[in-house]
Amino acid sequence: MTDARSVNFGAGPSALPDSVLQEACKGLLNFKGTGIGVAEISHRSKEFTSLVAELENNIRTQLDVPPTHKIIFTQGGGTGQFSAVVLNMLARHRLLHPDLSDEQRVMDYVITGSWSKKALEEAKRLGGASVHVAVDAREYSKDSRSFDGIPAHEHFDFSADPALIYYCENETVDGVQFSNDGQSPASFPFHLLPPGSSGLWPLVADYSSSFMSRKIPRLADHAVIYAGAQKNIGPAGLTILIVRQDCIVDVDAAAKLGAVPVPITLSYKAIADASSLYNTPSTLPMYIASLVLERSRNLGGTEYFESLNRKKAQKVYSMLKEGEAKGVYRPKVREGSGSWMNVVFDVLGDNAEAKFLAGAEAKGMTALKGHRSVGGIRISLYNAITEEQTDKLVAYMKEFISQNA
């Protein structure tokens, strides 16, 4: 066994900065001079409640979160929020429209990849409203069944007054991402969203695999933004939510009007009212996330990482295009819709994928195998991946091209 650390290009749980891990080791033994490790200390202690406040402040300032939105922390990952957003947003809609039947309520889903598809399936399973697919990217793909890009704006069809409108900003499995350039045809079509009876969009966005990697377009117009921490922020076990305050509703009052009862640990109001400490939170992941975001602040915040991540992605996509021209690589995503965080492609030729993976591992680069549902190669370029590590991978990709063209 070697002491050397590999370059971890895994999609999650993913790489964390070495400096953060070294500092976290100290906190595991002695958190803020208490003589107790952060994994042992009471979550009600003044030291830990101070950490929660610092964590919230770092997110609020680096993402320019307005006072109209609360930041709360919970557990269950993005998958847990597939359920929570449905239950909380249906409770809100019930309070706004108590006389509508379940059949008259509707939830809109934008399907651009595996995770939004799973979110749709959970919404259908929970019931409480009809489910409308505003667009399904597979219908506009080259083979009519894969997720290979963001559909043109003209294909989106939103309901007039839905309880929620869901989209996944970055599809980790399929490598498809909405552009953050509002002029791009691959951007989210905010201009098509319905005004709704409340005048506020019920827009829900899963940002799990791109959170804090760049600014969030029109953040203030979202009802809920959520992210599992295990991509850019920290270890698995922490989920971060940015919730507009009109969506933090009395779910028990809604249940009396016929809404589906909301489990207490999924209620945004219960969590927010208790300052994210209703029950024992994920103390160690929150501590490591606070270290990551403090480092981010010192480096320049999301502006710094947006510039860095753009450069990293451009380098990888440029080499991918070179490999495509020489018949070695085949991208899975249309140009313009490719993710900055998860670059996916096939290696062409008999046993070529296994050869590519083995060669990368021999050079200390691991976790490059694509998701089991789609295969191929997946390069995850989260914030902790440095430009130097990216350059090392790009050099290997070029070497592989020269040896296999």
Side-chain angles (χ1 to χ4, degrees), residues 172-227:
T172 324
V173 171
D174 305 279
V176 174
Q177 185 174 26
F178 284 94
S179 172
N180 66 340
D181 176 3
Q183 302 306 308
S184 168
S187 63
F188 188 84
F190 292 98
H191 63 288
L192 297 178
L193 292 175
S197 58
S198 71
L200 297 170
W201 290 333
L203 189 60
V204 174
D206 181 346
Y207 262 80
S208 289
S209 50
S210 57
F211 194 67
M212 302 302 298
S213 68
R214 62 190 192 188
K215 289 289 186 184
I216 297 176
R218 301 185 70 160
L219 184 152
D221 289 325
H222 287 75
V224 182
I225 292 169
Y226 67 82

Side-chain angles (χ1 to χ4, degrees), residues 227-245:
Q230 67 275 13
K231 314 292 186 178
N232 280 310
I233 310 300
L238 168 66
T239 310
I240 300 165
L241 293 97
I242 301 173
V243 185
R244 201 173 60 221
Q245 294 194 36

Side-chain angles (χ1 to χ4, degrees), residues 47 115 147 153 168 171 226 239 267-268 283 287 289 298 304 327 365 369 394 398 403:
E47 291 84 6
W115 288 114
F147 294 110
H153 289 174
C168 181
E171 292 281 2
Y226 67 82
T239 310
S267 164
Y268 294 159
T283 53
Y287 172 56
N298 292 336
Y304 168 83
M365 295 178 287
K369 188 172 179 60
V394 168
K398 186 175 186 66
Q403 293 172 350

Side-chain angles (χ1 to χ4, degrees), residues 134-170:
V135 72
D136 188 330
R138 289 171 293 189
E139 296 177 10
Y140 308 100
S141 67
K142 58 182 179 297
D143 59 8
S144 300
R145 66 175 186 272
S146 61
F147 294 110
D148 66 1
I150 300 297
H153 289 174
E154 64 197 58
H155 299 309
F156 287 73
D157 172 33
F158 296 109
S159 302
D161 190 15
L164 67 88
I165 302 166
Y166 167 95
Y167 74 100
C168 181
E169 194 269 349
N170 181 69

Side-chain angles (χ1 to χ4, degrees), residues 43-90:
H43 60 290
R44 310 281 182 199
S45 66
K46 67 179 187 298
E47 291 84 6
F48 192 82
T49 54
S50 172
L51 180 146
V52 175
E54 292 166 7
L55 178 58
E56 177 185 339
N57 183 62
N58 258 322
I59 295 171
R60 187 173 294 278
T61 55
Q62 292 181 50
L63 284 180
D64 299 322
V65 178
T68 51
H69 288 63
K70 294 273 286 184
I71 297 171
I72 58 179
F73 307 104
T74 184
Q75 302 169 46
T79 303
Q81 290 308 305
F82 293 168
S83 310
V85 294
V86 169
L87 297 174
N88 282 273
M89 295 302 285
L90 282 181

Side-chain angles (χ1 to χ4, degrees), residues 20-32 37-39 41 47-48 51-52 54-55 233-235 238 282-294:
V20 165
L21 293 174
Q22 290 162 0
E23 185 65 25
C25 289
K26 301 176 186 176
L28 273 170
L29 292 171
N30 188 349
F31 174 60
K32 291 192 173 184
V38 68
I41 199 166
E47 291 84 6
F48 192 82
L51 180 146
V52 175
E54 292 166 7
L55 178 58
I233 310 300
L238 168 66
S282 302
T283 53
L284 179 58
M286 291 176 77
Y287 172 56
I288 296 178
S290 73
L291 297 177
V292 168
L293 289 172
E294 185 66 21

